[in-house]
Amino acid sequence: MSIEVRNISKNFGAFRALNDINLDIHSGELVALLGPSGCGKTSLLRIIAGLETPDTGSIQFHGEDVSGHDVRDRNVGFVFQHYALFRHMTVFDNVAFGLRMKPKKQRPSEEEIAHKVHELLNMVQLDWLADRYPEQLSGGQRQRIALARALAVQPKILLLDEPFGALDAKVRKELRRWLARLHEEINLTSVFVTHDQEEAMEVADRIVVMNKGVIEQIGSPGEVYEQPASDFVYHFLGDSNRLHLGDDGHILFRPHEISLSRLTQAEHLAAQVRDIRPLGAITRVTLKVEGQDELIEAEVVNDHASLAGLIRGETLYFKPRPSFAANGH
Amino acid sequence: MSSITVSAAATRNAARRGNAWARRLLILSAWLAFALFLLLPLYMVLSEALKLGFGTFFTSILEPDALSALKLTLIAVGISVPLNLVFGVSAAWCVSKFEFRGKSLLVTLIDLPFSVSPVIAGLIYVLLFGAQGYFGKWLSEHDIQIVFAVPGIVLATLFVTVPFVARELIPLMQEQGTQEEEAARLLGANGWQMFWHVTLPNIKWGLIYGVVLCTARAMGEFGAVSVVSGHIRGYTNTLPLHVEILYNEYNHVAAFSVASLLLALALIILLLKQWSEARLSRLKSAGDEE
């Protein structure tokens, strides 16, 4: 089921949370709403779900205007950052909740519900926790239960609000890979909100980069990274260096877009080594250039010739090789 | 290095010894205060009541005026507590789940009965519904009596007990936020299902506690009820008022006997609270072990 967002604006008092947002999400897509906190991404997600009402504009599901539909009638699955599991219910009852709340005529029998719940718990690989209470589970387990609960009512759309935001780094990584795989299996139109560019890059089919209530760019992870539409997108989607060229001009480049050398070379600038950090496959070298306070970070492969025997305080020669020509003034 | 560790440990031990003394002293003084201000009066009430033996004790309690006072007290409690339950839950719901203009005013107003003297609360009703009051004429024309009758007593009790349930629930519901309710709605629950299956179970502890406090206050209320009651023996006397009348008549044994009845009601309420809490936690831990 596709989602069409049309001219959505939303103000909270004097604060403009969303400013004339237009967005098309295709059927079966996994889309990330990416941006810093306060950019309006969560408001947009809540408006799609029906938890907030926009000031202007409309939301359509597969061409049907659902703006006037109550939350209950939109049939969306929603996963909260802090899980929002029912704390007084067991895992089983949590997952069964949506089925049990159905009007009597549509409600499945208790056996059918039990069958369905165990099926979902197996899918999230947590069937053995059925009789536990939420407070006895780890964060990662809670979020998987929350997902199973949201999927129990067979939603047409799945919305996730910072689903991994409250988890620690390792669990977050595992869970987002698992979510990407799950999405491939069930192929449900899904939108998730995140402020973590790595998460968006790794999981999403398309990324919607938002800032201050407007959409800066919509594109595949490759597009937004390699062809950023603005300086904001460039900075937000990864580490960046700024090298001043005098007369207020500067060039932007990523830490890996650099040539390093121990000897002077044509077009290379001298810089002092401030720090050397081996980070697995790559090593990060922090450089101080004469005439600018901002440090330059260079990332090169571990066995790069310039690194052999390198110590802090030595002089290196570097040349930026930016792939993106956003040379500002 | 090791000397530092040793001296740190020594300081810690010394601190613990100091703490242990302070702790014992504090516990002892707490027990002393408890004995002096709570156990001793309790003992006094019972010993005075039983001074002339069980026969007199039961005669004082089973006397028709005492029984009608008990009945009136139970009526006042039976009406005001359920009404406060409904009001408290709705007010707490409004305040904690919605943003609206005048919210802080509403919260302040809920606290009003705490800050207004109960006597003034009683006087308000006399001024409003009494024979010389604003609605006095209209009420007497329609043959409705509020002041110096049961409705006045119920109203006065209601007024002084308004804050208990709401005050208990507002912080609890604010802390719990609205996400579970939102999750319930997203899963297709209607308003009533959401309240019954999600909100109510989450607040039941606070609710029970608030109702217990409310009931205790409703039973013991003296000032406001005293003003609106008119002290008509056997008709508009609640238990606390009846105790006062007996005491003023130098009928100490009867006064303390009826007082011990009030005390027994209070103990029953406390036991109910204890029982329900224990039951709730047992239910929960049984679920945990499965």
Side-chain angles (χ1 to χ4, degrees):
Chain A
M1 176 138 316
S2 65
I3 307 171
E4 294 88 35
V5 176
R6 292 280 172 270
N7 308 100
I8 290 283
S9 292
K10 174 80 180 172
N11 295 294
F12 292 107
F15 176 69
R16 183 138 244 214
L18 292 170
N19 191 1
D20 198 24
I21 298 285
N22 283 286
L23 178 62
D24 282 307
I25 293 164
H26 310 143
S27 203
E29 237 186 348
L30 177 54
V31 168
L33 301 179
L34 173 68
S37 60
C39 73
K41 54 193 191 300
T42 294
S43 297
L44 181 57
L45 195 78
R46 290 174 62 85
I47 285 173
I48 295 174
L51 290 170
E52 306 267 1
T53 326
D55 297 339
T56 58
S58 68
I59 301 287
Q60 295 164 21
F61 288 172
H62 225 88
E64 184 196 358
D65 192 335
V66 295
S67 305
H69 291 195
D70 186 64
V71 186
R72 302 174 54 207
D73 307 322
R74 293 204 187 184
N75 201 9
V76 298
F78 199 99
V79 174
F80 294 86
Q81 179 177 5
H82 296 287
Y83 331 117
L85 292 175
F86 305 127
R87 64 193 93 186
H88 64 278
M89 289 184 204
T90 61
V91 163
F92 182 95
D93 291 334
N94 262 281
V95 178
F97 186 85
L99 298 171
R100 286 179 177 155
M101 291 304 114
K102 282 183 186 292
K104 226 172 192 138
K105 276 182 201 154
Q106 304 161 29
R107 194 184 311 157
S109 69
E110 272 299 314
E111 293 97 76
E112 286 169 308
I113 290 177
H115 180 74
K116 176 84 186 166
V117 170
H118 285 297
E119 193 182 296
L120 282 159
L121 288 176
N122 277 321
M123 185 193 77
V124 298
Q125 297 150 6
L126 290 175
D127 197 34
W128 52 289
L129 291 176
D131 294 323
R132 301 282 182 89
Y133 283 87
E135 63 185 17
Q136 299 169 295
L137 309 184
S138 72
Q141 289 169 341
R142 286 184 209 187
Q143 200 54 299
R144 282 192 276 167
I145 297 300
L147 190 62
R149 180 180 70 175
L151 294 175
V153 287
Q154 290 177 311
K156 294 175 289 184
I157 284 161
L158 183 62
L159 305 173
L160 307 101
D161 182 13
E162 299 263 9
F164 317 120
L167 305 171
D168 58 57
K170 193 164 175 291
V171 179
R172 194 180 328 175
K173 234 171 188 158
E174 277 170 25
L175 209 54
R176 71 190 185 212
R177 287 188 184 149
W178 177 81
L179 178 73
R181 275 203 311 277
L182 183 76
H183 178 259
E184 259 170 49
E185 273 171 41
I186 59 177
N187 210 25
L188 185 63
T189 310
S190 308
V191 183
F192 79 101
V193 155
T194 179
H195 64 269
D196 180 348
Q197 46 89 14
E198 204 184 310
E199 194 167 291
M201 301 285 282
E202 190 167 342
V203 178
D205 299 327
R206 279 200 305 157
I207 298 178
V208 178
V209 186
M210 295 181 66
N211 185 34
K212 292 179 181 164
V214 296
I215 292 176
E216 294 269 341
Q217 189 174 4
I218 305 173
S220 69
E223 278 163 15
V224 291
Y225 189 78
E226 280 151 25
Q227 295 147 39
S230 65
D231 271 15
F232 173 83
V233 177
Y234 184 82
H235 282 293
F236 201 77
L237 280 155
D239 297 327
S240 58
N241 290 309
R242 190 200 309 261
L243 180 65
H244 293 279
L245 300 170
D247 298 336
D248 298 333
H250 67 260
I251 56 172
L252 297 169
F253 61 103
R254 307 261 184 221
H256 66 269
E257 297 170 339
I258 198 166
S259 153
L260 282 187
S261 164
R262 294 294 271 275
L263 307 165
T264 49
Q265 285 194 28
E267 298 178 328
H268 281 52
L269 289 166
Q272 196 189 35
V273 176
R274 281 287 174 86
D275 197 18
I276 307 160
R277 293 277 157 193
L279 303 170
I282 56 149
T283 295
R284 183 187 299 145
V285 183
T286 309
L287 301 167
K288 169 81 174 82
V289 189
E290 196 68 39
Q292 91 170 46
D293 289 335
E294 255 176 273
L295 297 171
I296 302 285
E297 288 194 332
E299 286 176 4
V300 291
V301 288
N302 262 346
D303 52 357
H304 196 270
S306 65
L307 294 177
L310 187 71
I311 54 165
R312 287 186 201 182
E314 280 191 85
T315 302
L316 270 185
Y317 299 90
F318 76 98
K319 184 193 170 197
R321 293 183 307 194
S323 58
F324 163 60
N327 299 345
H329 292 281
Chain B
M1 184 70 189
S2 68
S3 70
I4 295 172
T5 334
V6 168
S7 73
T11 327
R12 215 159 41 235
N13 277 342
R16 201 175 297 150
R17 265 200 305 280
N19 278 342
W21 272 109
R23 198 168 62 222
R24 266 178 225 159
L25 197 69
L26 275 172
I27 292 172
L28 188 71
S29 47
W31 270 108
L32 271 178
F34 177 67
L36 196 65
F37 295 112
L38 289 166
L39 291 182
L40 192 62
L42 261 174
Y43 170 76
M44 288 301 292
V45 169
L46 284 177
S47 72
E48 281 291 319
L50 295 172
K51 206 158 69 177
L52 299 179
F54 279 96
T56 331
F57 175 77
F58 282 115
T59 323
S60 320
I61 289 180
L62 297 176
E63 186 226 356
D65 286 354
L67 282 182
S68 89
L70 173 65
K71 193 175 133 199
L72 185 55
T73 294
L74 291 180
I75 288 173
V77 168
I79 297 176
S80 62
V81 171
L83 283 177
N84 267 322
L85 180 78
V86 173
F87 167 76
V89 171
S90 352
W93 179 281
C94 272
V95 167
S96 55
K97 310 282 178 187
F98 299 105
E99 286 303 320
F100 56 91
R101 226 175 250 261
K103 185 161 138 176
S104 54
L105 186 72
L106 181 66
V107 175
T108 316
L109 282 179
I110 290 173
D111 275 345
L112 194 67
F114 272 156
S115 50
V116 171
S117 161
V119 176
I120 294 170
L123 279 176
I124 293 170
Y125 288 113
V126 174
L127 283 176
L128 280 178
F129 305 122
Q132 267 75 46
Y134 282 108
F135 304 111
K137 200 156 171 251
W138 187 86
L139 286 171
S140 64
E141 275 166 13
H142 291 79
D143 206 19
I144 302 169
Q145 182 144 24
I146 291 182
V147 173
F148 306 140
V150 178
I153 290 167
V154 171
L155 276 176
T157 309
L158 205 54
F159 182 86
V160 293
T161 49
V162 153
F164 285 93
V165 176
R167 264 285 136 213
E168 202 58 48
L169 291 184
I170 288 171
L172 185 69
M173 287 171 91
Q174 274 175 337
E175 184 213 313
Q176 289 179 344
T178 51
Q179 290 216 324
E180 283 184 48
E181 276 85 9
E182 283 181 351
R185 277 169 70 208
L186 284 156
L187 289 166
N190 61 33
W192 175 247
Q193 287 173 318
M194 172 181 77
F195 177 76
W196 188 252
H197 293 288
V198 176
T199 310
L200 199 58
N202 278 345
I203 61 169
K204 67 186 166 196
W205 288 82
L207 194 61
I208 288 170
Y209 194 65
V211 165
V212 166
L213 285 180
C214 184
T215 310
R217 183 81 166 88
M219 275 183 352
E221 175 50 27
F222 181 82
V225 171
S226 172
V227 175
V228 294
S229 127
H231 304 276
I232 306 164
R233 251 184 132 138
Y235 182 58
T236 63
N237 266 349
T238 59
L239 276 182
L241 297 180
H242 192 59
V243 171
E244 195 217 12
I245 286 179
L246 289 171
Y247 189 82
N248 286 344
E249 288 170 348
Y250 300 103
N251 194 350
H252 289 188
V253 172
F256 280 109
S257 301
V258 178
S260 61
L261 192 63
L262 210 48
L263 204 67
L265 283 176
L267 285 176
I268 288 172
I269 296 243
L270 276 182
L271 286 176
L272 272 177
K273 170 178 169 265
Q274 207 61 33
W275 171 81
S276 56
E277 274 183 7
R279 201 180 151 76
L280 285 171
S281 62
R282 203 164 50 240
L283 274 177
K284 193 136 195 276
S285 62
D288 291 353
E289 280 155 21
E290 272 168 15

mmCIF file of all heavy atoms in Angstrom, chain A residues 294-319:
data_model
loop_
_atom_site.group_PDB
_atom_site.id
_atom_site.type_symbol
_atom_site.label_atom_id
_atom_site.label_comp_id
_atom_site.label_asym_id
_atom_site.label_seq_id
_atom_site.Cartn_x
_atom_site.Cartn_y
_atom_site.Cartn_z
ATOM 1 N N GLU A 294 40.176 24.566 12.356
ATOM 2 C CA GLU A 294 39.470 23.312 12.121
ATOM 3 C C GLU A 294 40.470 22.231 11.740
ATOM 4 O O GLU A 294 41.277 22.429 10.833
ATOM 5 C CB GLU A 294 38.489 23.488 10.959
ATOM 6 C CG GLU A 294 37.040 23.588 11.385
ATOM 7 C CD GLU A 294 36.147 23.855 10.187
ATOM 8 O OE1 GLU A 294 35.964 25.027 9.826
ATOM 9 O OE2 GLU A 294 35.660 22.871 9.612
ATOM 10 N N LEU A 295 40.397 21.082 12.414
ATOM 11 C CA LEU A 295 41.315 19.996 12.090
ATOM 12 C C LEU A 295 40.784 19.218 10.890
ATOM 13 O O LEU A 295 39.600 19.223 10.606
ATOM 14 C CB LEU A 295 41.470 19.073 13.299
ATOM 15 C CG LEU A 295 42.083 19.742 14.541
ATOM 16 C CD1 LEU A 295 41.985 18.806 15.736
ATOM 17 C CD2 LEU A 295 43.528 20.136 14.287
ATOM 18 N N ILE A 296 41.685 18.545 10.195
ATOM 19 C CA ILE A 296 41.323 17.711 9.051
ATOM 20 C C ILE A 296 41.456 16.252 9.470
ATOM 21 O O ILE A 296 42.456 15.872 10.092
ATOM 22 C CB ILE A 296 42.278 17.979 7.859
ATOM 23 C CG1 ILE A 296 42.253 19.439 7.435
ATOM 24 C CG2 ILE A 296 41.980 17.039 6.697
ATOM 25 C CD1 ILE A 296 41.038 19.868 6.673
ATOM 26 N N GLU A 297 40.428 15.440 9.174
ATOM 27 C CA GLU A 297 40.527 14.013 9.467
ATOM 28 C C GLU A 297 40.709 13.237 8.175
ATOM 29 O O GLU A 297 39.955 13.434 7.220
ATOM 30 C CB GLU A 297 39.274 13.529 10.197
ATOM 31 C CG GLU A 297 39.235 14.036 11.630
ATOM 32 C CD GLU A 297 38.208 13.327 12.479
ATOM 33 O OE1 GLU A 297 37.216 12.858 11.902
ATOM 34 O OE2 GLU A 297 38.407 13.260 13.694
ATOM 35 N N ALA A 298 41.724 12.394 8.167
ATOM 36 C CA ALA A 298 41.995 11.587 6.982
ATOM 37 C C ALA A 298 41.825 10.123 7.347
ATOM 38 O O ALA A 298 42.285 9.692 8.408
ATOM 39 C CB ALA A 298 43.408 11.844 6.497
ATOM 40 N N GLU A 299 41.132 9.341 6.483
ATOM 41 C CA GLU A 299 40.999 7.910 6.732
ATOM 42 C C GLU A 299 41.624 7.151 5.562
ATOM 43 O O GLU A 299 41.204 7.321 4.418
ATOM 44 C CB GLU A 299 39.524 7.535 6.890
ATOM 45 C CG GLU A 299 38.971 7.987 8.242
ATOM 46 C CD GLU A 299 37.487 7.737 8.412
ATOM 47 O OE1 GLU A 299 36.873 7.140 7.510
ATOM 48 O OE2 GLU A 299 36.943 8.152 9.449
ATOM 49 N N VAL A 300 42.640 6.354 5.882
ATOM 50 C CA VAL A 300 43.312 5.575 4.829
ATOM 51 C C VAL A 300 43.401 4.127 5.284
ATOM 52 O O VAL A 300 43.239 3.841 6.472
ATOM 53 C CB VAL A 300 44.735 6.114 4.534
ATOM 54 C CG1 VAL A 300 44.662 7.476 3.868
ATOM 55 C CG2 VAL A 300 45.567 6.187 5.804
ATOM 56 N N VAL A 301 43.644 3.228 4.326
ATOM 57 C CA VAL A 301 43.743 1.808 4.696
ATOM 58 C C VAL A 301 44.925 1.604 5.628
ATOM 59 O O VAL A 301 45.894 2.362 5.608
ATOM 60 C CB VAL A 301 43.868 0.894 3.453
ATOM 61 C CG1 VAL A 301 42.552 0.839 2.718
ATOM 62 C CG2 VAL A 301 44.994 1.368 2.548
ATOM 63 N N ASN A 302 44.828 0.576 6.450
ATOM 64 C CA ASN A 302 45.823 0.309 7.487
ATOM 65 C C ASN A 302 47.260 0.209 6.982
ATOM 66 O O ASN A 302 48.190 0.618 7.671
ATOM 67 C CB ASN A 302 45.473 -1.020 8.169
ATOM 68 C CG ASN A 302 44.733 -0.767 9.454
ATOM 69 O OD1 ASN A 302 44.736 0.368 9.930
ATOM 70 N ND2 ASN A 302 44.112 -1.778 10.000
ATOM 71 N N ASP A 303 47.411 -0.422 5.781
ATOM 72 C CA ASP A 303 48.776 -0.672 5.311
ATOM 73 C C ASP A 303 49.240 0.410 4.331
ATOM 74 O O ASP A 303 50.121 0.181 3.509
ATOM 75 C CB ASP A 303 48.866 -2.071 4.670
ATOM 76 C CG ASP A 303 47.801 -2.263 3.607
ATOM 77 O OD1 ASP A 303 46.976 -1.339 3.417
ATOM 78 O OD2 ASP A 303 47.776 -3.336 2.975
ATOM 79 N N HIS A 304 48.621 1.579 4.400
ATOM 80 C CA HIS A 304 49.009 2.683 3.524
ATOM 81 C C HIS A 304 50.472 3.060 3.781
ATOM 82 O O HIS A 304 50.913 3.112 4.934
ATOM 83 C CB HIS A 304 48.097 3.880 3.801
ATOM 84 C CG HIS A 304 48.149 4.929 2.730
ATOM 85 N ND1 HIS A 304 49.022 5.966 2.767
ATOM 86 C CD2 HIS A 304 47.416 5.095 1.597
ATOM 87 C CE1 HIS A 304 48.842 6.730 1.705
ATOM 88 N NE2 HIS A 304 47.850 6.214 0.987
ATOM 89 N N ALA A 305 51.210 3.333 2.686
ATOM 90 C CA ALA A 305 52.649 3.590 2.796
ATOM 91 C C ALA A 305 52.958 4.766 3.725
ATOM 92 O O ALA A 305 53.941 4.752 4.461
ATOM 93 C CB ALA A 305 53.225 3.866 1.404
ATOM 94 N N SER A 306 52.084 5.764 3.741
ATOM 95 C CA SER A 306 52.371 6.967 4.530
ATOM 96 C C SER A 306 52.310 6.696 6.029
ATOM 97 O O SER A 306 52.772 7.498 6.837
ATOM 98 C CB SER A 306 51.375 8.062 4.167
ATOM 99 O OG SER A 306 50.073 7.651 4.547
ATOM 100 N N LEU A 307 51.727 5.549 6.440
ATOM 101 C CA LEU A 307 51.544 5.289 7.869
ATOM 102 C C LEU A 307 52.741 4.602 8.515
ATOM 103 O O LEU A 307 52.867 4.614 9.736
ATOM 104 C CB LEU A 307 50.307 4.412 8.099
ATOM 105 C CG LEU A 307 48.958 5.032 7.748
ATOM 106 C CD1 LEU A 307 47.853 4.013 7.953
ATOM 107 C CD2 LEU A 307 48.697 6.263 8.605
ATOM 108 N N ALA A 308 53.618 4.010 7.723
ATOM 109 C CA ALA A 308 54.699 3.205 8.277
ATOM 110 C C ALA A 308 55.567 4.027 9.228
ATOM 111 O O ALA A 308 56.181 5.022 8.835
ATOM 112 C CB ALA A 308 55.548 2.621 7.139
ATOM 113 N N GLY A 309 55.575 3.622 10.497
ATOM 114 C CA GLY A 309 56.411 4.276 11.494
ATOM 115 C C GLY A 309 56.008 5.701 11.826
ATOM 116 O O GLY A 309 56.749 6.430 12.490
ATOM 117 N N LEU A 310 54.804 6.094 11.415
ATOM 118 C CA LEU A 310 54.354 7.483 11.630
ATOM 119 C C LEU A 310 54.103 7.742 13.116
ATOM 120 O O LEU A 310 53.525 6.916 13.824
ATOM 121 C CB LEU A 310 53.071 7.712 10.831
ATOM 122 C CG LEU A 310 52.543 9.143 10.795
ATOM 123 C CD1 LEU A 310 53.438 10.031 9.954
ATOM 124 C CD2 LEU A 310 51.114 9.169 10.254
ATOM 125 N N ILE A 311 54.596 8.878 13.622
ATOM 126 C CA ILE A 311 54.284 9.255 15.008
ATOM 127 C C ILE A 311 53.711 10.661 15.044
ATOM 128 O O ILE A 311 53.823 11.416 14.076
ATOM 129 C CB ILE A 311 55.525 9.178 15.929
ATOM 130 C CG1 ILE A 311 56.675 10.013 15.349
ATOM 131 C CG2 ILE A 311 55.955 7.750 16.183
ATOM 132 C CD1 ILE A 311 57.783 10.279 16.337
ATOM 133 N N ARG A 312 53.074 10.993 16.143
ATOM 134 C CA ARG A 312 52.501 12.326 16.308
ATOM 135 C C ARG A 312 53.568 13.405 16.169
ATOM 136 O O ARG A 312 54.697 13.199 16.603
ATOM 137 C CB ARG A 312 51.878 12.468 17.695
ATOM 138 C CG ARG A 312 50.593 11.714 17.845
ATOM 139 C CD ARG A 312 50.001 12.036 19.186
ATOM 140 N NE ARG A 312 49.053 10.976 19.562
ATOM 141 C CZ ARG A 312 48.350 10.999 20.667
ATOM 142 N NH1 ARG A 312 48.491 11.999 21.527
ATOM 143 N NH2 ARG A 312 47.506 10.042 20.936
ATOM 144 N N GLY A 313 53.188 14.541 15.649
ATOM 145 C CA GLY A 313 54.107 15.664 15.529
ATOM 146 C C GLY A 313 54.839 15.698 14.202
ATOM 147 O O GLY A 313 55.384 16.731 13.829
ATOM 148 N N GLU A 314 54.851 14.555 13.476
ATOM 149 C CA GLU A 314 55.516 14.539 12.175
ATOM 150 C C GLU A 314 54.715 15.333 11.151
ATOM 151 O O GLU A 314 53.531 15.628 11.361
ATOM 152 C CB GLU A 314 55.668 13.091 11.692
ATOM 153 C CG GLU A 314 56.834 12.374 12.336
ATOM 154 C CD GLU A 314 57.121 11.061 11.654
ATOM 155 O OE1 GLU A 314 57.836 11.054 10.649
ATOM 156 O OE2 GLU A 314 56.615 10.032 12.136
ATOM 157 N N THR A 315 55.330 15.625 10.039
ATOM 158 C CA THR A 315 54.647 16.359 8.983
ATOM 159 C C THR A 315 54.236 15.401 7.872
ATOM 160 O O THR A 315 55.020 14.526 7.482
ATOM 161 C CB THR A 315 55.561 17.465 8.422
ATOM 162 O OG1 THR A 315 55.926 18.326 9.501
ATOM 163 C CG2 THR A 315 54.842 18.273 7.352
ATOM 164 N N LEU A 316 52.982 15.543 7.432
ATOM 165 C CA LEU A 316 52.478 14.764 6.304
ATOM 166 C C LEU A 316 52.039 15.740 5.226
ATOM 167 O O LEU A 316 51.717 16.898 5.514
ATOM 168 C CB LEU A 316 51.270 13.925 6.725
ATOM 169 C CG LEU A 316 51.495 12.501 7.258
ATOM 170 C CD1 LEU A 316 50.154 11.840 7.485
ATOM 171 C CD2 LEU A 316 52.332 11.670 6.307
ATOM 172 N N TYR A 317 51.952 15.233 3.982
ATOM 173 C CA TYR A 317 51.458 16.059 2.879
ATOM 174 C C TYR A 317 50.154 15.457 2.383
ATOM 175 O O TYR A 317 50.065 14.239 2.237
ATOM 176 C CB TYR A 317 52.509 16.148 1.772
ATOM 177 C CG TYR A 317 53.777 16.797 2.293
ATOM 178 C CD1 TYR A 317 54.798 16.029 2.847
ATOM 179 C CD2 TYR A 317 53.923 18.187 2.261
ATOM 180 C CE1 TYR A 317 55.939 16.611 3.370
ATOM 181 C CE2 TYR A 317 55.067 18.782 2.775
ATOM 182 C CZ TYR A 317 56.071 17.992 3.334
ATOM 183 O OH TYR A 317 57.181 18.576 3.856
ATOM 184 N N PHE A 318 49.142 16.323 2.211
ATOM 185 C CA PHE A 318 47.846 15.776 1.793
ATOM 186 C C PHE A 318 47.230 16.610 0.681
ATOM 187 O O PHE A 318 47.549 17.787 0.499
ATOM 188 C CB PHE A 318 46.883 15.713 2.982
ATOM 189 C CG PHE A 318 46.300 17.049 3.383
ATOM 190 C CD1 PHE A 318 45.026 17.427 2.937
ATOM 191 C CD2 PHE A 318 47.009 17.927 4.185
ATOM 192 C CE1 PHE A 318 44.501 18.651 3.305
ATOM 193 C CE2 PHE A 318 46.471 19.155 4.537
ATOM 194 C CZ PHE A 318 45.226 19.516 4.106
ATOM 195 N N LYS A 319 46.325 15.943 -0.046
ATOM 196 C CA LYS A 319 45.565 16.637 -1.079
ATOM 197 C C LYS A 319 44.125 16.121 -1.055
ATOM 198 O O LYS A 319 43.915 14.905 -1.168
ATOM 199 C CB LYS A 319 46.188 16.369 -2.449
ATOM 200 C CG LYS A 319 45.496 17.133 -3.551
ATOM 201 C CD LYS A 319 45.911 16.629 -4.921
ATOM 202 C CE LYS A 319 45.018 17.261 -5.985
ATOM 203 N NZ LYS A 319 45.085 16.562 -7.236
#
